Amino acid sequence: MEFKKIVLKKKEEILAEIKQISEDTLKKSQKEASGDISGYTYHMADVATDNYDREFSLVLASNERELLFAIDEALKKIEEGTFGICEDCKSLIAKNRLKALPYAPLCVKCQSKKEKK
Ligand SMILES: [Zn+2]
């Protein structure tokens, strides 16, 4: 199916982005940790790891995590055969919209209604 390929490709992109973010965050944490040359170095390294975990989950909690969730939902819908149907009004979502946003759960009408609220 055509959309499955698009959605899977999008998922790969998001996963690559997440990997990039986590690598950047790790590098930053390591830089901060190595800046400490006192006797607390080992202790500081532990703290840095804690900070890193927290930062990482904070970053992931935002856009990418939501996107990944939406993408998995879209893949589930493809399997179930309900892909491309608006979750709100149950009408078919325009193909052009799905091509741009294959994981969109709502049609344009329902989406703009939701955003106005
Ligand atoms: Zn709708």
Side-chain angles (χ1 to χ4, degrees):
M1 180 168 174
E2 180 194 4
F3 280 114
K4 191 171 181 178
K5 255 191 243 166
I6 298 175
V7 176
L8 283 174
K9 197 167 164 269
K10 194 75 199 166
K11 189 176 180 176
E12 260 172 49
E13 280 171 27
I14 304 289
L15 287 174
E17 248 170 67
I18 290 174
K19 201 167 157 252
Q20 188 63 50
I21 290 168
S22 63
E23 276 168 8
D24 286 351
T25 312
L26 184 63
K27 258 183 236 156
K28 217 173 101 197
S29 295
Q30 277 170 343
K31 215 191 253 171
E32 280 163 13
S34 64
D36 188 277
I37 48 159
S38 72
Y40 293 106
T41 305
Y42 285 110
H43 177 64
M44 288 306 285
D46 285 344
V47 174
T49 308
D50 284 350
N51 282 341
Y52 162 68
D53 284 343
R54 212 170 305 139
E55 267 176 53
F56 183 56
S57 45
L58 265 181
V59 170
L60 269 191
S62 58
N63 291 341
E64 275 68 22
R65 200 177 208 148
E66 253 171 59
L67 270 180
L68 209 56
F69 181 76
I71 285 170
D72 279 336
E73 285 294 297
L75 286 172
K76 221 195 294 173
K77 282 183 197 165
I78 289 171
E79 297 303 324
E80 288 168 352
T82 57
F83 179 78
I85 297 170
C86 172
E87 281 182 1
D88 221 351
C89 67
K90 311 291 176 204
S91 67
L92 287 172
I93 300 172
K95 266 207 161 171
N96 281 342
R97 175 169 170 77
L98 288 175
K99 269 181 189 153
L101 277 175
Y103 41 82
L106 298 172
C107 70
V108 181
K109 241 198 278 172
C110 295
Q111 184 66 46
S112 61
K113 232 193 280 170
K114 203 180 151 195
E115 274 163 13
K116 267 181 205 153
K117 265 183 201 162

